[in-house]
Structure formats: structure tokens, C-alpha cells
């Protein structure tokens, strides 16, 4: 199952969407629409990236906000929880040296998966190809085959982002109301929100 560089796996089936190979065949379900959105600075903080990275990734189409893109000067992007998870995964893939082309393919694949699928997924890579594993046995099989060099447990990233966002501000998508995170030192913001 090594990559031949042309989107095919030697001694195996074609790679899923070019650079992400599905090791398991699980059905996906549709995600419900996110009720809470996160502005750029909040998404950056939770994903561990700079605003410059966020802006570049949105402008180049790597990770675009699924709730509200920025239109014109001064427009505010609004990212979903799932978008923030994908941002954090992209950062981890870049930090480990995966090519931007393979990351783009991985992002398309992640966006096509259901929430339940993401929470149980592990991404493995040998630096050239990104593999999807949905069980511990598949991770072991991939490592024994020599393909995996590093892995990202998407469920762990999910929980990290969930914890980070619980302490940051969100925005009710339908009403635009600010949702105050559970940050103990932010009493002034809580009082402002109650007064408004």
C-alpha cells in the first residue's frame, strides 16, 4: 500500500480521493447544522494557529468557514466547531511535514465524513500519503505494513478543541447573540451579556 506518487497505491486499490486512503468502509451520516459559530480569533486560539495562517487558509480555500465567509473589507468569518477541528488537524499535518496537496485532499475527505465517523477516526501518514483508520486493529495493520510514521487521533483533537472552545466566546448563528465561554476570569463579559 505504498504511494506511487500518482494517486495509486502499489499492490492495492486506488487511494481514496488521491491522497487519503480509507482503510475501513464505514457509512457516514449527515451532520446537523451547527448552532454556534466562532469568529477568527477564537478559532485561532482553539486550533493553535496564527490569524495570518487562518486568513491564508481561508483565502486559498484550504479551510474555509462553513457558516459565514468574509465578504468585502471588514467582513467577519464565522467558523463551525467542525471547522475548528479541521483547522487543528491541518496544523498538525503541516507540523509533521505532509505536503499541502495531500492536506487539501485530507481536508476534503474530513469534510465529507459524518460527526460520528470523525470522532472515531485516526489519521496516519508516512509523509507522502494520509491514511484513515477507524479501529485500533487498522492502525496496527498499517504500522506493521510500514506505511504509518505518525498518527492523529481525531477524537482526541475533537476533545481538545471542545475544551478550548468551552472557555472562549461563541456566537449564536441564528440570532448573533454572543455566547460567553466558561472562563472564570471573565466576569465583566458575563455581566455585559446579562445586561444586554
Amino acid at each position: 500500500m505504498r504511494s506511487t506518487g500518482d494517486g495509486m497505491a502499489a499492490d492495492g486499490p486506488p487511494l481514496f480521493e488521491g491522497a487519503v486512503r480509507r482503510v475501513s468502509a464505514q457509512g457516514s451520516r449527515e451532520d446537523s447544522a451547527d448552532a454556534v459559530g466562532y469568529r477568527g480569533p477564537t478559532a485561532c486560539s482553539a486550533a493553535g494557529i496564527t490569524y495570518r495562517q487562518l486568513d491564508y487558509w481561508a483565502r486559498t480555500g484550504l479551510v474555509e468557514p462553513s457558516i459565514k465567509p468574509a465578504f468585502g473589507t471588514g467582513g467577519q468569518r464565522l467558523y463551525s466547531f467542525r471547522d475548528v477541528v479541521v483547522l487543528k488537524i491541518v496544523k498538525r499535518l503541516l507540523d509533521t511535514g505532509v505536503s499541502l496537496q495531500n492536506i487539501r485532499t485530507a481536508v476534503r475527505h474530513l469534510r465529507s465524513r459524518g460527526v460520528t465517523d470523525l470522532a472515531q477516526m485516526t489519521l496516519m501518514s508516512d509523509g507522502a500519503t494520509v491514511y484513515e483508520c477507524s479501529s485500533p486493529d487498522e492502525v496496527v495493520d498499517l504500522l506493521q505494513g510500514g506505511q504509518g510514521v505518525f498518527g492523529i487521533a481525531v477524537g482526541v483533537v475533537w476533545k481538545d478543541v471542545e475544551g478550548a472552545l468551552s472557555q472562549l466566546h461563541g456566537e449564536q448563528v441564528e440570532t448573533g447573540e454572543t455566547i460567553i465561554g466558561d472562563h472564570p476570569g471573565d466576569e465583566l463579559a458575563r455581566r455585559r451579556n446579562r445586561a444586554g
Side-chain angles (χ1 to χ4, degrees), residues 45-69:
S45 180
I49 61 174
T50 66
Y51 192 81
R52 176 178 253 170
Q53 287 173 306
L54 180 79
D55 185 53
Y56 178 74
W57 295 349
R59 285 186 292 110
T60 60
L62 179 61
V63 182
E64 296 175 295
S66 62
I67 295 177
K68 181 181 162 193

Side-chain angles (χ1 to χ4, degrees), residues 9 29 35 39 43 52 56-57 64 66 68 81 87 101 121 131-132 146-147 152-153 155 158 170 177-178 183 190-191:
R29 65 178 178 80
R39 297 203 180 270
R52 176 178 253 170
Y56 178 74
W57 295 349
E64 296 175 295
S66 62
K68 181 181 162 193
F81 173 80
L87 287 168
Q101 178 182 351
M121 182 188 302
Y131 299 89
E132 173 194 338
Q147 282 93 351
I152 299 171
W158 186 282
E177 177 185 350
T178 300
H183 192 280
R190 268 195 295 281
R191 286 182 188 179

Side-chain angles (χ1 to χ4, degrees), residues 63-94:
V63 182
E64 296 175 295
S66 62
I67 295 177
K68 181 181 162 193
F71 293 111
T73 305
Q76 293 279 330
R77 295 181 185 108
L78 204 56
Y79 290 84
S80 69
F81 173 80
R82 184 186 185 129
D83 295 338
V84 180
V85 170
V86 171
L87 287 168
K88 190 165 183 108
I89 290 170
V90 167
K91 172 150 180 19
R92 289 193 178 177
L93 289 170
L94 281 171

Side-chain angles (χ1 to χ4, degrees), residues 62-184:
L62 179 61
V63 182
E64 296 175 295
S66 62
I67 295 177
K68 181 181 162 193
F71 293 111
T73 305
Q76 293 279 330
R77 295 181 185 108
L78 204 56
Y79 290 84
S80 69
F81 173 80
R82 184 186 185 129
D83 295 338
V84 180
V85 170
V86 171
L87 287 168
K88 190 165 183 108
I89 290 170
V90 167
K91 172 150 180 19
R92 289 193 178 177
L93 289 170
L94 281 171
D95 288 349
T96 56
V98 175
S99 75
L100 197 54
Q101 178 182 351
N102 285 346
I103 291 173
R104 284 186 187 281
T105 303
V107 167
R108 281 193 308 272
H109 178 68
L110 288 170
R111 290 207 178 272
S112 73
R113 301 301 297 220
V115 173
T116 305
D117 296 336
L118 287 179
Q120 298 173 4
M121 182 188 302
T122 299
L123 297 177
M124 300 290 292
S125 181
D126 56 8
T129 304
V130 178
Y131 299 89
E132 173 194 338
C133 300
S134 54
S135 76
D137 291 338
E138 292 170 350
V139 173
V140 170
D141 289 346
L142 197 60
L143 289 171
Q144 286 176 342
Q147 282 93 351
V149 174
F150 69 89
I152 299 171
V154 178
V156 172
V157 173
W158 186 282
K159 288 178 183 171
D160 288 350
V161 169
E162 209 169 39
L165 288 176
S166 72
Q167 297 183 9
L168 299 169
H169 302 310
E171 183 175 308
Q172 190 70 33
V173 173
E174 289 184 17
T175 64
E177 177 185 350
T178 300
I179 298 169
I180 307 300
D182 189 24
H183 192 280

